[in-house]
Amino acid sequence: MNVTLSPRALMSLLVNGPKAMDVLTTALELGLLDALEPGPATLGDLATRFGVRPLRLYKFLDCLESLGCLVRDEPGDDIGTATYRAVPGLRAAVVAVVGPDAQERDRDRYPWRLLHGRLAESLRGEVSLTDDDFAWPPRTDEQTAAFERSMAVGLGPVVETFHRHAHQLWPGRRRFLDVGGGDGTLAVGVLADAPELTVDVYNLPAVEALVDETRARSGHGERLGFVGGDFLAEPLPTGYDVLSFVRVLHDWPTDVARRLVEKAYQALPPGGMLLICEEFRTPDRLAMQFFWSYFLIGVDSCVSRLRDVEFYTGLLTRTGFDKVEVLPGTWELVVGHKPESTPGD
Ligand SMILES: C[S@@+](CC[C@H](N)C(=O)[O-])C[C@H]1O[C@@H](n2cnc3c(N)ncnc32)[C@H](O)[C@@H]1O
């Protein structure tokens, strides 16, 4: 889906956002999206099948087309013969934002309304979120649980990419440490793909109880472990042949991100592998990150800095990793290896 609109047209869509969501939700609930995605479907057939008035449906479909969701062909003046096809993935995208597991619903629980209408004051530093509103890293058990739940809700594309490349990542590997590994949701996905592997989550001690719950739900028992620690204050644990940072490095300024990658290099044995899966700076990711970009305007302790993939490949190479590559996926995976023999050996 590729829509390029003038600023004026984009403003018109944005100001009508709630109506656009009404159209999309209705199209989903009626079953229209199921009919439109395989398409092409004629307006006449759609009107008969769904028991709606053709001229009304024509306007409804114009709404969808204005959003870039439909391709239309109108061969003549008879609207009944106009054909429509939805862009691939539309139905799944609508379900993802209005369905019960919607990230957007989860994000709405955060107190973003404290900033709404007060952004200018917030930009000047006169209005901020307090540690009770949102602390980074989370401060209380309640904040920790809420934040890790939010993270787990958005992990789907990451789990998918790890799964897609499992055949390349895990053979010959024994112990994997997911640094800043949330509540262990990714670890569970990896364990299902790699029977020889044990996975530990490294996270702030307050997260242990959540990983315990994930372990109990997953049935992986002792293959899913937890190591409590603070990666800002201490070296990363050794004894692992794979480490990962998933959506961790973008939270921190560049000097901290660099130090964390250096700590990973020091902790890995020769031949060890580092995986980075991040919020790269692409139009899609920026759009899907909109909530956090907005909300975190009021929070100075979280950097939330989306960087280009080249930032990470360059950082790995400069740190000493070799065979650095980017594996494709909805979320790409940057892979680097600590050389078998390092300079000075
Ligand atoms: C943005 S979340 C990403 C979580 C998970 N990797 C994911 O993608 O769903 C960042 C993670 O880093 C952890 N974290 C933050 N500061 C940390 C620290 N100083 N030491 C260890 N972990 C930390 C947080 O608890 C959280 O789990």
Side-chain angles (χ1 to χ4, degrees):
M1 180 161 146
N2 240 331
V3 204
T4 311
L5 295 173
S6 67
R8 177 65 187 83
L10 177 63
M11 293 312 117
S12 197
L13 284 185
L14 288 178
V15 87
N16 283 296
K19 301 176 201 78
M21 286 313 302
D22 189 28
V23 170
L24 286 161
T25 310
T26 305
L28 175 71
E29 287 169 0
L30 285 176
L32 260 172
L33 296 184
D34 295 297
L36 285 168
E37 205 164 317
T42 67
L43 182 120
D45 288 346
L46 289 170
T48 307
R49 177 164 161 200
F50 291 98
V52 298
R53 298 186 183 184
L55 188 57
R56 293 187 180 201
L57 182 61
Y58 183 83
K59 297 165 200 166
F60 183 90
L61 293 174
D62 270 3
C63 293
L64 283 177
E65 190 182 343
S66 74
L67 300 170
C69 295
L70 287 184
V71 178
R72 182 179 57 96
D73 183 33
E74 198 172 333
D77 193 43
D78 175 5
I79 58 170
T81 61
T83 59
Y84 296 83
R85 185 200 295 266
V87 295
L90 180 63
R91 185 184 185 285
V94 177
V95 170
V97 299
V98 302
D101 299 327
Q103 268 187 60
E104 284 67 13
R105 197 186 314 283
D106 171 83
R107 305 309 186 240
D108 208 44
R109 294 183 298 108
Y110 288 86
W112 58 270
R113 290 171 184 82
L114 294 171
L115 302 179
H116 196 242
R118 304 169 77 197
L119 276 186
E121 293 95 312
S122 182
L123 286 169
R124 287 195 291 268
E126 295 156 13
V127 169
S128 305
L129 299 174
T130 67
D131 275 358
D132 289 336
D133 302 323
F134 181 84
W136 181 250
R139 228 178 23 143
T140 63
D141 286 351
E142 203 185 346
Q143 285 175 345
T144 301
F147 181 73
E148 297 298 6
R149 194 166 60 241
S150 291
M151 290 298 99
V153 168
L155 254 178
V158 180
V159 175
E160 230 173 80
T161 302
F162 272 75
H163 175 65
R164 173 170 170 187
H165 298 289
H167 61 284
Q168 170 175 348
L169 298 175
W170 308 123
R173 304 288 177 184
R174 289 280 175 273
R175 297 192 70 206
F176 167 33
L177 184 71
D178 187 16
V179 181
D183 68 356
T185 298
L186 173 63
V188 168
V190 168
L191 283 168
D193 284 333
E196 308 292 312
L197 204 65
T198 59
V199 185
D200 289 349
V201 169
Y202 177 90
N203 212 328
L204 296 164
V207 185
E208 181 164 14
L210 302 176
V211 176
D212 287 346
E213 285 173 26
T214 306
R215 181 187 309 108
R217 273 198 312 274
S218 75
H220 284 301
E222 295 309 306
R223 288 179 66 217
L224 173 60
F226 180 82
V227 181
D230 175 349
F231 54 47
L232 301 179
E234 59 193 34
L236 291 175
T238 55
Y240 297 90
D241 48 6
V242 187
L243 299 182
S244 69
F245 294 114
V246 175
R247 299 192 296 179
V248 166
L249 300 177
H250 76 278
D251 286 333
W252 304 98
T254 300
D255 58 325
V256 178
R258 187 182 314 117
R259 261 203 319 279
L260 290 175
V261 169
E262 287 166 0
K263 285 185 183 193
Y265 187 87
Q266 281 148 17
L268 282 167
M273 180 167 72
L274 177 63
L275 306 172
I276 296 178
C277 199
E278 259 306 338
E279 304 272 17
F280 297 138
R281 195 174 194 87
T282 64
D284 248 45
R285 302 274 178 86
L286 262 181
M288 293 188 57
Q289 174 82 358
F290 187 92
F291 172 80
W292 290 115
S293 299
Y294 179 95
F295 181 63
L296 293 174
I297 289 171
V299 182
D300 290 326
S301 53
C302 187
V303 172
S304 187
R305 185 153 172 203
L306 270 58
R307 300 175 171 106
D308 295 321
V309 65
E310 291 79 16
F311 169 86
Y312 293 101
T313 52
L315 179 57
L316 288 193
T317 306
R318 278 193 302 280
T319 307
F321 287 95
D322 68 6
K323 294 183 270 173
V324 174
E325 61 178 325
V326 181
L327 303 181
T330 315
W331 286 46
E332 306 83 353
L333 193 56
V334 181
V335 185
H337 297 80
K338 184 164 172 173
E340 291 291 348
S341 62
T342 47
D345 281 354

